[in-house]
Amino acid sequence: MQPLIDIRNVVLGYQNGHPILHLEHLSIPQGKVVFVIGPSGAGKSTLLEYLGLMSDTCLNPGEGHYTLSPGASDPVDLHDVWHQGDQWISQIRQAHFSFIFQSTNLMPNFTIGENMCFGMLMDGATQFPDAEAKVRGLMKQLDLPQDLFGKRITEASGGQRQRIAFVRAFSSPFTVLFGDEPTGNLDDGNARRLMQTLKDQTQSMGRSAVIVSHDIELSEQYADLILEIQPGSSSEPSTVQVHGQ
């Protein structure tokens, strides 16, 4: 089967700075949960930003290779995406990506339910009652009280907000979910409940997830594939070692 993501000879970093991460060859299969681990500053978030088209971290455009192969669709060349314009980039993100971060970025002027349904309603293809039914099912799996649905964001605790952000991200249509420390504000029980839900949903729906985490135990328990960032030096960028492939 063609990999979901295929990357070759890509150097990542920030403009006017030294290279942070060199990806000689990275292949991520379809329908898997992938964890990215490694020490702070090694390049985990830089990798996530590149994969999710969150910022232009590529230092060798035109030389490397990054393709996304979403199921039966034709592969999409994303390596030189920043030359295509913001509108095209936004279309790719909306069609294929979903995101969840430790800072939840929930919208305070919407109710909790509206926040969680937002991604499904953006393209107008889903009606609110259908979106609500799906969201309430995920709320139950994550042990979120059903009466939170109509409340304001300010009425939810920090741990609840993290799970609310997960529901919003996972209920949206996507090919791959990107998470940057999505369990960072959760206790151990809720972190494991969230990751088990993520694992179950990706397996049942043929979706994929790439999760940056400092939690080695979570990665060992829930990852199908682990990308370990090996720190570089002042003169050499970090590299990626793949476990479980």
Side-chain angles (χ1 to χ4, degrees), residues 114-164:
E114 289 168 342
N115 266 279
M116 292 188 290
C117 292
F118 185 80
M120 283 186 285
L121 300 175
M122 280 187 64
D123 60 4
T126 304
Q127 299 300 311
F128 190 83
D130 296 328
E132 179 178 353
K134 181 174 182 178
V135 158
R136 286 190 179 276
L138 286 169
M139 290 176 70
K140 184 177 181 180
Q141 291 182 52
L142 294 178
D143 200 26
L144 281 168
Q146 294 291 318
D147 63 358
L148 279 176
F149 191 89
K151 294 183 177 181
R152 314 302 298 184
I153 291 297
T154 53
E155 298 180 72
S157 69
Q160 287 174 335
R161 293 183 194 187
Q162 195 74 51
R163 285 175 282 163
I164 289 164

Side-chain angles (χ1 to χ4, degrees), residues 44-65:
K44 299 188 300 298
S45 294
T46 303
L47 174 60
L48 204 69
E49 290 172 5
Y50 174 70
L51 293 177
L53 308 182
M54 289 179 271
S55 66
D56 185 5
T57 59
C58 181
L59 298 181
N60 64 332
E63 299 177 21
H65 167 91

Side-chain angles (χ1 to χ4, degrees), residues 21-229:
L21 183 63
H22 179 215
L23 305 173
E24 183 176 354
H25 182 207
L26 176 60
S27 178
I28 296 178
Q30 309 257 2
K32 302 296 183 181
V33 175
V34 179
F35 270 67
V36 183
I37 63 172
S40 297
K44 299 188 300 298
S45 294
T46 303
L47 174 60
L48 204 69
E49 290 172 5
Y50 174 70
L51 293 177
L53 308 182
M54 289 179 271
S55 66
D56 185 5
T57 59
C58 181
L59 298 181
N60 64 332
E63 299 177 21
H65 167 91
Y66 170 19
T67 57
L68 175 74
S69 300
S73 303
D74 292 333
V76 183
D77 183 0
L78 298 180
H79 184 59
D80 290 327
V81 68
W82 297 96
H83 299 291
Q84 303 294 328
D86 292 342
Q87 183 175 356
W88 192 82
I89 294 171
S90 295
Q91 290 173 349
I92 292 295
R93 286 200 203 102
Q94 185 172 342
H96 298 296
F97 298 159
S98 191
F99 302 90
I100 178 171
F101 304 98
Q102 191 169 352
S103 56
T104 57
N105 298 321
L106 296 168
M107 295 173 286
N109 54 321
F110 285 7
T111 66
I112 289 171
E114 289 168 342
N115 266 279
M116 292 188 290
C117 292
F118 185 80
M120 283 186 285
L121 300 175
M122 280 187 64
D123 60 4
T126 304
Q127 299 300 311
F128 190 83
D130 296 328
E132 179 178 353
K134 181 174 182 178
V135 158
R136 286 190 179 276
L138 286 169
M139 290 176 70
K140 184 177 181 180
Q141 291 182 52
L142 294 178
D143 200 26
L144 281 168
Q146 294 291 318
D147 63 358
L148 279 176
F149 191 89
K151 294 183 177 181
R152 314 302 298 184
I153 291 297
T154 53
E155 298 180 72
S157 69
Q160 287 174 335
R161 293 183 194 187
Q162 195 74 51
R163 285 175 282 163
I164 289 164
F166 172 82
V167 173
R168 179 184 62 182
F170 211 88
S171 60
S172 303
F174 66 87
T175 303
V176 54
L177 171 71
F178 295 105
D180 195 353
E181 299 288 353
T183 62
N185 293 329
L186 299 178
D187 58 46
D188 184 67
N190 278 315
R192 293 181 184 280
R193 186 177 291 111
L194 187 150
M195 289 311 307
Q196 186 62 59
T197 301
L198 173 66
K199 183 89 169 180
D200 293 343
Q201 292 285 328
T202 52
Q203 288 180 340
S204 65
M205 302 177 73
R207 295 176 173 180
S208 304
V210 179
I211 306 296
V212 166
S213 179
H214 282 98
D215 194 322
I216 303 299
E217 290 186 6
L218 275 184
S219 67
E220 291 176 342
Q221 183 171 356
Y222 295 104
D224 298 304
L225 195 70
I226 296 176
L227 309 181
E228 183 181 1
I229 308 294

